[in-house]
Amino acid sequence: RAHAEYLVETDRALDALEAQNMRFDEALNRMPEGLRRFDARQRIMVVNDRYCEIYGLKPGQVKPGTTLQQILEYRAANGSYAGPAPAEYVEANVARVGASIARLEEIQTLNDGKVIQVLRRPMPDGGWLATFEDITEKRKLEQENERNRVFLDTILENVPAPIFVKEASERRYILVNRAGEEFWGVLREAMIGNTSHGIFAKAEADLIDAREDQLLASDRTNIDERQIRTPHNGTRSIVAKRIAIRDQDGEAQYIVGVIEDVTERKRVEEQISHMARHDALTGLANRVVFAERVEEASARLRRHGEPFCVVMLDLDRFKTVNDLLGHPTGDALLQEVA
């Protein structure tokens, strides 16, 4: 009876062990990464289906007891291995893993274009455990992102308007394009990582901080038209536009600014305005300004009874000067009188 009970318990234990092994195999084969466990003699102890799938191996080719050299020979036959001779690779790999107590990482590019990330970790028994992740799509995405980054950097570098980016918490510059470097007359190396107070005079830096405080306190674009005193390019007239880049919780992460240098435009506008309202020869106000002043004085007279007078000056014998000495002399006389 005792023997029969022992056999029953043994069967139950074996059934439980078999069920446990089935669950282990199922979990192993559901892993998104390939997994391979070698013993100290370079023989497979554990391997999952994903590993075979990555390298195009048939499940029957890779099983417990299969050596690393045999696996490489199978891979060389199906075109998924193009490294040194399998025996040479095995010798170098064993030496490399045996000399390390930390995990080793390797990126493999297969003949079919797959990119595999391999992580190896030595085990206490002298063997090693390795995982294999197909990062082909991830690498393509990284390369695409890098191409996009280079493309955007190229655009930023060639935009004629100064552009800058600050991180919002400490207000430190993290990006300045070439136009910004030229506008401020400060090397980017001196601006990146610095704050406004480390670059500009205190009054100017305080004004910049105040504008950015207004920006971060609202959800609107900050537009600032004024004059700014640059560190090395003098006073410039600008139109500065700033926006805050916020995360999904609404917290400001970055401040992006675009500056339009309107100094020359303002100068031309002022020059045109001056020409429209002043005589080109003498620089005196012309009849347009005269008419405005008379209208203003007339309005004060009508509203408040304030009187005004108009004085007209005549230059005697001016025609004689032009006739006898010429118009250049007449012009010089007008300028002197003015």
Side-chain angles (χ1 to χ4, degrees), residues 5 29 47-48 70 93 99 110 122 144 150 172 190 197 226 229 249 259 273-274 277 296 303 314:
E5 291 178 351
N29 289 318
V47 65
N48 69 353
Q70 287 175 317
N93 185 68
L110 307 186
E144 181 66 23
V150 171
R172 296 185 182 277
H197 283 273
R226 64 186 180 89
R229 186 164 184 80
D249 296 323
I259 295 176
S273 175
H274 185 274
R277 299 168 62 82
E296 291 170 1
R303 294 172 185 170
D314 186 27

Side-chain angles (χ1 to χ4, degrees), residues 270-279 286-289:
E270 291 171 359
Q271 185 178 18
I272 292 174
S273 175
H274 185 274
M275 291 172 62
R277 299 168 62 82
H278 294 79
D279 179 68
N286 61 15
R287 69 178 63 194
V288 173
V289 180

Side-chain angles (χ1 to χ4, degrees), residues 34 36 38 51 54-57 68 71-72 75-76 78-84 89-90 93 96-97 104-120 128 130-137 139 143:
R36 188 184 67 189
F38 278 110
Y51 172 78
I54 288 174
Y55 292 107
L57 298 169
L68 174 59
I71 292 174
L72 295 179
R75 286 183 51 199
N78 68 21
S80 66
Y81 176 76
Y89 179 89
V90 169
N93 185 68
R96 180 175 53 169
V97 175
L104 300 172
E105 182 175 345
E106 176 186 359
I107 301 296
Q108 298 176 350
T109 302
L110 307 186
N111 292 339
D112 60 1
K114 286 182 183 177
V115 181
I116 310 300
Q117 182 181 52
V118 184
L119 298 178
R120 297 183 179 87
W128 66 88
T131 58
F132 304 80
E133 181 182 1
D134 186 344
I135 60 170
T136 307
E137 293 304 318
R139 180 59 59 89
Q143 292 172 344

